[in-house]
Amino acid sequence: MLPAVIVVLMLISFTRGENPAIQVILTRKGLQYGKHLGAGWVQEKLEHITLPDFSGEVLAIHYILTGITITKCDFPEPIVEFNPNNTGFTTSISGLSVALTGGWMTHFGLIHDGGSFKMAIFGLDVTSVVELGKDPDGHLSVTSVSCDAQIGDVDIRFEGGASWIFQPFVEHFKGRIRGEIRSKICPNVEESIVSLEYHLQAMEVSIQVDEDLVLNIPLTGVPVIHASRMILGLKGEFYDMKTRKRPPFEAQNFTVPEQPDYMLSMGLSEFTVNSASYALYSGGRLQVLINDSMIPPYIHVRLNTSSMGPYVPQLPKMFPGLLMNLQVYASEVPMFSFQPGVVKLELAGAVKASAIEPNGTQIPLFKLNVDLKFDGKVWVAAGRLKGSMALQNLTLTLAGSEVGHFETDTLESLLKMGVMAGLAKLNVELGKGVVLPRMRNAQLVNTVLGVEEGFIAMCSDAEVFTDSFN
Ligand SMILES: *[C@@H]1O[C@H](CO)[C@@H](O)[C@H](O)[C@H]1NC(C)=O
Ligand SMILES: *[C@@H]1O[C@H](CO)[C@@H](O)[C@H](O)[C@H]1NC(C)=O
Ligand SMILES: *[C@@H]1O[C@H](CO)[C@@H](O)[C@H](O)[C@H]1NC(C)=O
Ligand SMILES: *[C@@H]1O[C@H](CO)[C@@H](O)[C@H](O)[C@H]1NC(C)=O
Ligand SMILES: *[C@@H]1O[C@H](CO)[C@@H](O)[C@H](O)[C@H]1NC(C)=O
Ligand SMILES: *[C@@H]1O[C@H](CO)[C@@H](O)[C@H](O)[C@H]1NC(C)=O
């Protein structure tokens, strides 16, 4: 069941002394859901497993119990709790009973005998305490702190062979069998914790977004465990694989408000978004060369010197009949800031305009600085992440000119119209939204999202497709 609990923790598909930019919080409700899934999974598994052969010696008779299968299992709902004392979980099952069948074989010197048996184990109690931590690479780690197993009683019935001879002795050696079974439970629990640890070590602590862009998500510290929730702090920093430059700003501390009615909460700092912005900017990806053929045919303003007459009156006279191109680029890192209810975006860009001679030679004309401010909203509706953006301010200034001074007011109005038209199209897409990230074995449901000072908080329930565990 513990594996299932951890799977739930890891759904959201991990360096030292840093503030985490992404926080993933599992509430008690989430833990209980994970436990419930885990219990169902264990129950189902138990009904289909064949236990390893079991051998021992009683009264100088060597016996082997083989082909042991579970015929019935009464699996009470386990108890799983956060354990702040051990930075982990305590899992306990109390009153489990199991009915088993199998074959028996005995060797007593040269005498071999065999038959079948039925066994019932009653009042099985198991308590396991695990500790969560972080390995040097930022993976989540899990280790067993303690395990305790008790067995109430064992009843065993042998059939066939000379079972009638030794059946009466069962009462005398069933204590031994009980002890042997008991001694095998905790090593098995510990083995499954080791295998879980192995899976955790194999998890990627970075996500390749595209050829150059990577999101780093190692744990920034050991998990924080309270009685009511567990908080995983992840680095949440994007970087460009080619430049490998770290952003010149740091993640700020933030606290995601407690939401016990949801299984999970998540906080995403504006740092993460801005690190993406920085990676794209420093990787030279926030630039575009615009030429006339990229301007849709229905727009009557063409990118040529004649068409620019109303905006830059001297152009058609100085360079008649030449096509133009515009080199548009971000002159600073576009920065997002999260404030209660709004996402603000500030863009500082520049446009370098050139005329193109028929032989391809480019003639620099002028350079404009463009400052844009946007206000955005984000929300979740019908399982989709949606948004909208509005232009707050646009200012255009002439930064340099090879063609002499000109007023930028008309050009600014033209650009504003262009940006508004672009936003209208963008808002149609943002309004349709994108489906919330859906993992191979889980999806988020009842998701609520809100923008807070410095971070976006999301609370959600999760639905896990248990068939994918098999
Ligand atoms: C944690 O330790 C305190 C004091 O030792 C104890 O009272 C409490 O029951 C412990 N909690 C758990 C979950 O073990
Ligand atoms: C962040 O806040 C937490 C709790 O508010 C505090 O314990 C921690 O020291 C802070 N970290 C930094 C780097 O300010
Ligand atoms: C405009 O740019 C596109 C893409 O870079 C290119 O395919 C096209 O040939 C260019 N058009 C002109 C007229 O230079
Ligand atoms: C420049 O644009 C105008 C439309 O504004 C068009 O009529 C003219 O043919 C274009 N000239 C060139 C050289 O493309
Ligand atoms: C391209 O043409 C212009 C004038 O038409 C001329 O001044 C320039 O030297 C030419 N450049 C090349 C590389 O041929
Ligand atoms: C837009 O920006 C300019 C220059 O930064 C400023 O003077 C103006 O007040 C701003 N307008 C709005 C509506 O914010």
Side-chain angles (χ1 to χ4, degrees):
M1 130 169 34
L2 203 71
V5 172
I6 304 285
V7 165
V8 171
L9 298 184
M10 301 183 311
L11 292 181
I12 323 301
S13 197
F14 293 76
T15 322
R16 199 177 298 273
E18 274 175 305
N19 285 326
I22 297 177
Q23 292 179 26
V24 177
I25 297 152
L26 178 76
T27 63
R28 189 180 265 145
K29 182 181 175 192
L31 183 66
Q32 297 316 312
Y33 178 66
K35 172 198 80 173
H36 189 72
L37 287 178
W41 178 71
V42 170
Q43 166 104 56
E44 200 173 297
K45 281 268 173 225
L46 281 177
E47 282 163 15
H48 297 104
I49 60 171
T50 298
L51 297 171
D53 288 357
F54 186 93
S55 63
E57 218 171 76
V58 175
L59 308 169
I61 301 174
H62 184 76
Y63 68 89
I64 301 175
L65 303 182
T66 181
I68 312 171
T69 54
I70 295 178
T71 51
K72 192 168 184 299
C73 178
D74 201 352
F75 192 74
E77 188 79 14
I79 296 170
V80 183
E81 293 292 345
F82 291 117
N83 183 336
N85 295 353
N86 286 98
T87 325
F89 302 101
T90 302
T91 306
S92 51
I93 294 177
S94 166
L96 177 82
S97 32
V98 195
L100 310 154
T101 69
W104 61 269
M105 282 184 287
T106 54
H107 300 256
F108 178 66
L110 291 172
I111 308 165
H112 292 202
D113 196 3
S116 64
F117 76 92
K118 288 196 175 74
M119 178 159 47
I121 304 171
F122 307 100
L124 187 73
D125 296 353
V126 185
T127 301
S128 155
V129 178
V130 296
E131 184 179 10
L132 297 181
K134 159 189 164 297
D135 79 359
D137 297 331
H139 292 101
L140 185 63
S141 69
V142 53
T143 44
S144 172
V145 175
S146 66
C147 175
D148 181 56
Q150 298 296 336
I151 291 179
D153 199 8
V154 173
D155 191 19
I156 184 161
R157 262 175 220 280
F158 293 98
E159 281 157 13
S163 59
W164 55 274
I165 301 179
F166 55 82
Q167 180 66 40
F169 297 103
V170 163
E171 278 307 311
H172 301 283
F173 67 80
K174 84 180 183 187
R176 287 269 295 274
I177 293 186
R178 194 176 76 182
E180 295 228 21
I181 295 173
R182 193 187 138 216
S183 70
K184 293 214 158 54
I185 295 172
C186 282
N188 264 296
V189 168
E190 273 146 19
E191 208 171 277
S192 62
I193 293 169
V194 168
S195 122
L196 175 59
E197 168 72 2
Y198 177 80
H199 284 291
L200 289 173
Q201 298 297 310
M203 280 182 74
E204 295 287 346
V205 291
S206 63
I207 299 169
Q208 188 94 28
V209 180
D210 66 19
E211 207 172 296
D212 294 324
L213 194 63
V214 171
L215 172 63
N216 254 339
I217 48 165
L219 286 175
T220 52
V222 297
V224 178
I225 309 256
H226 298 292
S228 61
R229 59 181 192 159
M230 177 185 86
I231 308 167
L232 298 181
L234 314 183
K235 185 166 176 171
E237 182 179 307
F238 283 93
Y239 76 98
D240 182 88
M241 297 264 275
K242 285 200 306 266
T243 65
R244 292 190 173 267
K245 280 196 202 154
R246 301 280 315 266
F249 41 82
E250 285 181 354
Q252 301 301 309
N253 225 345
F254 66 96
T255 308
V256 180
E258 253 190 87
Q259 295 281 4
D261 295 338
Y262 292 91
M263 294 178 191
L264 304 162
S265 306
M266 197 180 138
L268 176 79
S269 164
E270 58 192 19
F271 170 83
T272 299
V273 182
N274 287 329
S275 69
S277 188
Y278 180 77
L280 294 174
Y281 174 80
S282 59
R285 303 219 279 177
L286 299 181
Q287 54 182 325
V288 58
L289 187 68
I290 299 174
N291 64 27
D292 188 55
S293 45
M294 291 157 81
I295 304 209
Y298 56 86
I299 294 179
H300 67 278
V301 184
R302 304 310 309 170
L303 206 49
N304 68 44
T305 49
S306 324
S307 197
M308 284 294 129
Y311 312 101
V312 192
Q314 59 270 48
L315 259 194
K317 298 180 196 107
M318 294 174 75
F319 303 100
L322 293 186
L323 281 171
M324 292 172 63
N325 66 26
L326 302 175
Q327 192 191 344
V328 181
Y329 58 93
S331 47
E332 283 169 34
V333 183
M335 293 293 278
F336 291 86
S337 85
F338 295 167
Q339 289 170 21
V342 292
V343 173
K344 294 191 170 286
L345 168 63
E346 288 193 28
L347 283 178
V351 180
K352 280 185 185 162
S354 306
I356 312 159
E357 297 269 17
N359 64 11
T361 303
Q362 299 212 8
I363 312 164
L365 300 175
F366 53 86
K367 180 184 166 191
L368 300 166
N369 284 340
V370 186
D371 292 293
L372 294 151
K373 289 192 177 119
F374 298 95
D375 273 6
K377 292 200 184 324
V378 281
W379 65 92
V380 171
R384 300 174 78 93
L385 177 64
K386 302 183 178 188
S388 71
M389 254 174 99
L391 180 66
Q392 288 307 306
N393 202 350
L394 183 156
T395 48
L396 192 143
T397 46
L398 188 60
S401 173
E402 270 77 26
V403 297
H405 182 80
F406 57 92
E407 292 301 327
T408 53
D409 306 18
T410 45
L411 210 46
E412 187 179 281
S413 314
L414 175 71
L415 181 62
K416 205 173 254 171
M417 276 165 53
V419 171
M420 302 288 268
L423 277 183
K425 282 195 158 179
L426 178 67
N427 281 334
V428 170
E429 293 308 313
L430 292 176
K432 289 181 197 156
V434 290
V435 177
L436 287 173
R438 195 184 159 115
M439 273 64 53
R440 188 164 52 89
N441 43 19
Q443 72 175 359
L444 298 174
V445 293
N446 307 329
T447 309
V448 188
L449 189 137
V451 187
E452 310 277 345
E453 187 71 45
F455 67 99
I456 289 179
M458 188 196 81
C459 345
S460 187
D461 285 334
E463 207 175 315
V464 175
F465 317 120
T466 41
D467 50 339
S468 57
F469 289 172
N470 299 315

mmCIF file with all atom_site columns, all heavy atoms in Angstrom, residues 289-294 323-325 356, ligand 3:
data_model
loop_
_atom_site.group_PDB
_atom_site.id
_atom_site.type_symbol
_atom_site.label_atom_id
_atom_site.label_alt_id
_atom_site.label_comp_id
_atom_site.label_asym_id
_atom_site.label_entity_id
_atom_site.label_seq_id
_atom_site.pdbx_PDB_ins_code
_atom_site.Cartn_x
_atom_site.Cartn_y
_atom_site.Cartn_z
_atom_site.occupancy
_atom_site.B_iso_or_equiv
_atom_site.pdbx_formal_charge
_atom_site.auth_seq_id
_atom_site.auth_comp_id
_atom_site.auth_asym_id
_atom_site.auth_atom_id
_atom_site.pdbx_PDB_model_num
ATOM   1  N N   . LEU A 1 289 ? 12.248 37.755 -37.201 1.00 0.00 ? 289 LEU A N   1
ATOM   2  C CA  . LEU A 1 289 ? 12.438 38.631 -38.347 1.00 0.00 ? 289 LEU A CA  1
ATOM   3  C C   . LEU A 1 289 ? 11.153 38.598 -39.169 1.00 0.00 ? 289 LEU A C   1
ATOM   4  O O   . LEU A 1 289 ? 10.739 37.526 -39.610 1.00 0.00 ? 289 LEU A O   1
ATOM   5  C CB  . LEU A 1 289 ? 13.640 38.154 -39.181 1.00 0.00 ? 289 LEU A CB  1
ATOM   6  C CG  . LEU A 1 289 ? 14.062 39.085 -40.315 1.00 0.00 ? 289 LEU A CG  1
ATOM   7  C CD1 . LEU A 1 289 ? 14.633 40.389 -39.766 1.00 0.00 ? 289 LEU A CD1 1
ATOM   8  C CD2 . LEU A 1 289 ? 15.096 38.403 -41.216 1.00 0.00 ? 289 LEU A CD2 1
ATOM   9  N N   . ILE A 1 290 ? 10.521 39.760 -39.298 1.00 0.00 ? 290 ILE A N   1
ATOM   10 C CA  . ILE A 1 290 ? 9.233  39.814 -39.997 1.00 0.00 ? 290 ILE A CA  1
ATOM   11 C C   . ILE A 1 290 ? 9.441  40.426 -41.376 1.00 0.00 ? 290 ILE A C   1
ATOM   12 O O   . ILE A 1 290 ? 10.051 41.487 -41.500 1.00 0.00 ? 290 ILE A O   1
ATOM   13 C CB  . ILE A 1 290 ? 8.208  40.644 -39.190 1.00 0.00 ? 290 ILE A CB  1
ATOM   14 C CG1 . ILE A 1 290 ? 7.980  39.975 -37.824 1.00 0.00 ? 290 ILE A CG1 1
ATOM   15 C CG2 . ILE A 1 290 ? 6.897  40.801 -39.949 1.00 0.00 ? 290 ILE A CG2 1
ATOM   16 C CD1 . ILE A 1 290 ? 7.114  40.787 -36.893 1.00 0.00 ? 290 ILE A CD1 1
ATOM   17 N N   . ASN A 1 291 ? 8.947  39.742 -42.416 1.00 0.00 ? 291 ASN A N   1
ATOM   18 C CA  . ASN A 1 291 ? 9.001  40.316 -43.765 1.00 0.00 ? 291 ASN A CA  1
ATOM   19 C C   . ASN A 1 291 ? 7.588  40.412 -44.340 1.00 0.00 ? 291 ASN A C   1
ATOM   20 O O   . ASN A 1 291 ? 6.624  39.938 -43.710 1.00 0.00 ? 291 ASN A O   1
ATOM   21 C CB  . ASN A 1 291 ? 9.957  39.527 -44.661 1.00 0.00 ? 291 ASN A CB  1
ATOM   22 C CG  . ASN A 1 291 ? 9.506  38.098 -44.887 1.00 0.00 ? 291 ASN A CG  1
ATOM   23 O OD1 . ASN A 1 291 ? 8.314  37.791 -44.825 1.00 0.00 ? 291 ASN A OD1 1
ATOM   24 N ND2 . ASN A 1 291 ? 10.461 37.223 -45.171 1.00 0.00 ? 291 ASN A ND2 1
ATOM   25 N N   . ASP A 1 292 ? 7.480  40.979 -45.489 1.00 0.00 ? 292 ASP A N   1
ATOM   26 C CA  . ASP A 1 292 ? 6.154  41.255 -46.072 1.00 0.00 ? 292 ASP A CA  1
ATOM   27 C C   . ASP A 1 292 ? 5.320  39.990 -46.278 1.00 0.00 ? 292 ASP A C   1
ATOM   28 O O   . ASP A 1 292 ? 4.114  39.992 -46.042 1.00 0.00 ? 292 ASP A O   1
ATOM   29 C CB  . ASP A 1 292 ? 6.315  42.000 -47.404 1.00 0.00 ? 292 ASP A CB  1
ATOM   30 C CG  . ASP A 1 292 ? 4.981  42.474 -47.938 1.00 0.00 ? 292 ASP A CG  1
ATOM   31 O OD1 . ASP A 1 292 ? 4.268  43.184 -47.188 1.00 0.00 ? 292 ASP A OD1 1
ATOM   32 O OD2 . ASP A 1 292 ? 4.626  42.119 -49.084 1.00 0.00 ? 292 ASP A OD2 1
ATOM   33 N N   . SER A 1 293 ? 5.977  38.905 -46.668 1.00 0.00 ? 293 SER A N   1
ATOM   34 C CA  . SER A 1 293 ? 5.180  37.701 -46.949 1.00 0.00 ? 293 SER A CA  1
ATOM   35 C C   . SER A 1 293 ? 4.585  37.094 -45.685 1.00 0.00 ? 293 SER A C   1
ATOM   36 O O   . SER A 1 293 ? 3.699  36.241 -45.749 1.00 0.00 ? 293 SER A O   1
ATOM   37 C CB  . SER A 1 293 ? 6.008  36.670 -47.721 1.00 0.00 ? 293 SER A CB  1
ATOM   38 O OG  . SER A 1 293 ? 7.273  36.544 -47.158 1.00 0.00 ? 293 SER A OG  1
ATOM   39 N N   . MET A 1 294 ? 5.043  37.544 -44.502 1.00 0.00 ? 294 MET A N   1
ATOM   40 C CA  . MET A 1 294 ? 4.470  37.008 -43.270 1.00 0.00 ? 294 MET A CA  1
ATOM   41 C C   . MET A 1 294 ? 3.254  37.821 -42.839 1.00 0.00 ? 294 MET A C   1
ATOM   42 O O   . MET A 1 294 ? 2.558  37.429 -41.893 1.00 0.00 ? 294 MET A O   1
ATOM   43 C CB  . MET A 1 294 ? 5.530  37.022 -42.164 1.00 0.00 ? 294 MET A CB  1
ATOM   44 C CG  . MET A 1 294 ? 6.640  36.000 -42.433 1.00 0.00 ? 294 MET A CG  1
ATOM   45 S SD  . MET A 1 294 ? 8.162  36.407 -41.580 1.00 0.00 ? 294 MET A SD  1
ATOM   46 C CE  . MET A 1 294 ? 7.787  35.793 -39.959 1.00 0.00 ? 294 MET A CE  1
ATOM   47 N N   . LEU A 1 323 ? 11.039 46.680 -50.582 1.00 0.00 ? 323 LEU A N   1
ATOM   48 C CA  . LEU A 1 323 ? 10.461 45.865 -49.509 1.00 0.00 ? 323 LEU A CA  1
ATOM   49 C C   . LEU A 1 323 ? 11.244 46.133 -48.216 1.00 0.00 ? 323 LEU A C   1
ATOM   50 O O   . LEU A 1 323 ? 12.388 46.577 -48.264 1.00 0.00 ? 323 LEU A O   1
ATOM   51 C CB  . LEU A 1 323 ? 10.546 44.381 -49.851 1.00 0.00 ? 323 LEU A CB  1
ATOM   52 C CG  . LEU A 1 323 ? 9.481  43.859 -50.830 1.00 0.00 ? 323 LEU A CG  1
ATOM   53 C CD1 . LEU A 1 323 ? 9.825  42.432 -51.248 1.00 0.00 ? 323 LEU A CD1 1
ATOM   54 C CD2 . LEU A 1 323 ? 8.085  43.894 -50.201 1.00 0.00 ? 323 LEU A CD2 1
ATOM   55 N N   . MET A 1 324 ? 10.589 45.855 -47.118 1.00 0.00 ? 324 MET A N   1
ATOM   56 C CA  . MET A 1 324 ? 11.243 46.083 -45.817 1.00 0.00 ? 324 MET A CA  1
ATOM   57 C C   . MET A 1 324 ? 11.189 44.818 -44.965 1.00 0.00 ? 324 MET A C   1
ATOM   58 O O   . MET A 1 324 ? 10.393 43.921 -45.233 1.00 0.00 ? 324 MET A O   1
ATOM   59 C CB  . MET A 1 324 ? 10.497 47.194 -45.044 1.00 0.00 ? 324 MET A CB  1
ATOM   60 C CG  . MET A 1 324 ? 10.630 48.566 -45.655 1.00 0.00 ? 324 MET A CG  1
ATOM   61 S SD  . MET A 1 324 ? 9.522  49.718 -44.811 1.00 0.00 ? 324 MET A SD  1
ATOM   62 C CE  . MET A 1 324 ? 10.186 49.710 -43.156 1.00 0.00 ? 324 MET A CE  1
ATOM   63 N N   . ASN A 1 325 ? 12.003 44.782 -43.949 1.00 0.00 ? 325 ASN A N   1
ATOM   64 C CA  . ASN A 1 325 ? 11.801 43.766 -42.910 1.00 0.00 ? 325 ASN A CA  1
ATOM   65 C C   . ASN A 1 325 ? 12.008 44.405 -41.536 1.00 0.00 ? 325 ASN A C   1
ATOM   66 O O   . ASN A 1 325 ? 12.578 45.483 -41.409 1.00 0.00 ? 325 ASN A O   1
ATOM   67 C CB  . ASN A 1 325 ? 12.664 42.519 -43.118 1.00 0.00 ? 325 ASN A CB  1
ATOM   68 C CG  . ASN A 1 325 ? 14.141 42.777 -42.983 1.00 0.00 ? 325 ASN A CG  1
ATOM   69 O OD1 . ASN A 1 325 ? 14.545 43.702 -42.291 1.00 0.00 ? 325 ASN A OD1 1
ATOM   70 N ND2 . ASN A 1 325 ? 14.944 41.959 -43.649 1.00 0.00 ? 325 ASN A ND2 1
ATOM   71 N N   . ILE A 1 356 ? 15.120 46.576 -48.109 1.00 0.00 ? 356 ILE A N   1
ATOM   72 C CA  . ILE A 1 356 ? 15.906 45.558 -48.808 1.00 0.00 ? 356 ILE A CA  1
ATOM   73 C C   . ILE A 1 356 ? 16.077 45.959 -50.276 1.00 0.00 ? 356 ILE A C   1
ATOM   74 O O   . ILE A 1 356 ? 15.084 46.083 -51.013 1.00 0.00 ? 356 ILE A O   1
ATOM   75 C CB  . ILE A 1 356 ? 15.226 44.170 -48.726 1.00 0.00 ? 356 ILE A CB  1
ATOM   76 C CG1 . ILE A 1 356 ? 14.803 43.891 -47.274 1.00 0.00 ? 356 ILE A CG1 1
ATOM   77 C CG2 . ILE A 1 356 ? 16.124 43.071 -49.250 1.00 0.00 ? 356 ILE A CG2 1
ATOM   78 C CD1 . ILE A 1 356 ? 13.721 42.848 -47.157 1.00 0.00 ? 356 ILE A CD1 1
HETATM 79 C C1  . LIG B 2 .   ? 10.051 35.950 -45.446 1.00 0.00 ? 3   LIG B C1  1
HETATM 80 O O1  . LIG B 2 .   ? 10.525 35.038 -44.418 1.00 0.00 ? 3   LIG B O1  1
HETATM 81 C C2  . LIG B 2 .   ? 10.141 33.703 -44.655 1.00 0.00 ? 3   LIG B C2  1
HETATM 82 C C3  . LIG B 2 .   ? 10.568 32.896 -43.465 1.00 0.00 ? 3   LIG B C3  1
HETATM 83 O O2  . LIG B 2 .   ? 11.834 33.302 -42.991 1.00 0.00 ? 3   LIG B O2  1
HETATM 84 C C4  . LIG B 2 .   ? 10.778 33.217 -45.955 1.00 0.00 ? 3   LIG B C4  1
HETATM 85 O O3  . LIG B 2 .   ? 10.363 31.886 -46.188 1.00 0.00 ? 3   LIG B O3  1
HETATM 86 C C5  . LIG B 2 .   ? 10.321 34.118 -47.103 1.00 0.00 ? 3   LIG B C5  1
HETATM 87 O O4  . LIG B 2 .   ? 10.960 33.750 -48.294 1.00 0.00 ? 3   LIG B O4  1
HETATM 88 C C6  . LIG B 2 .   ? 10.625 35.574 -46.810 1.00 0.00 ? 3   LIG B C6  1
HETATM 89 N N1  . LIG B 2 .   ? 10.017 36.401 -47.825 1.00 0.00 ? 3   LIG B N1  1
HETATM 90 C C7  . LIG B 2 .   ? 10.664 37.388 -48.446 1.00 0.00 ? 3   LIG B C7  1
HETATM 91 C C8  . LIG B 2 .   ? 9.873  38.145 -49.443 1.00 0.00 ? 3   LIG B C8  1
HETATM 92 O O5  . LIG B 2 .   ? 11.867 37.632 -48.202 1.00 0.00 ? 3   LIG B O5  1
#
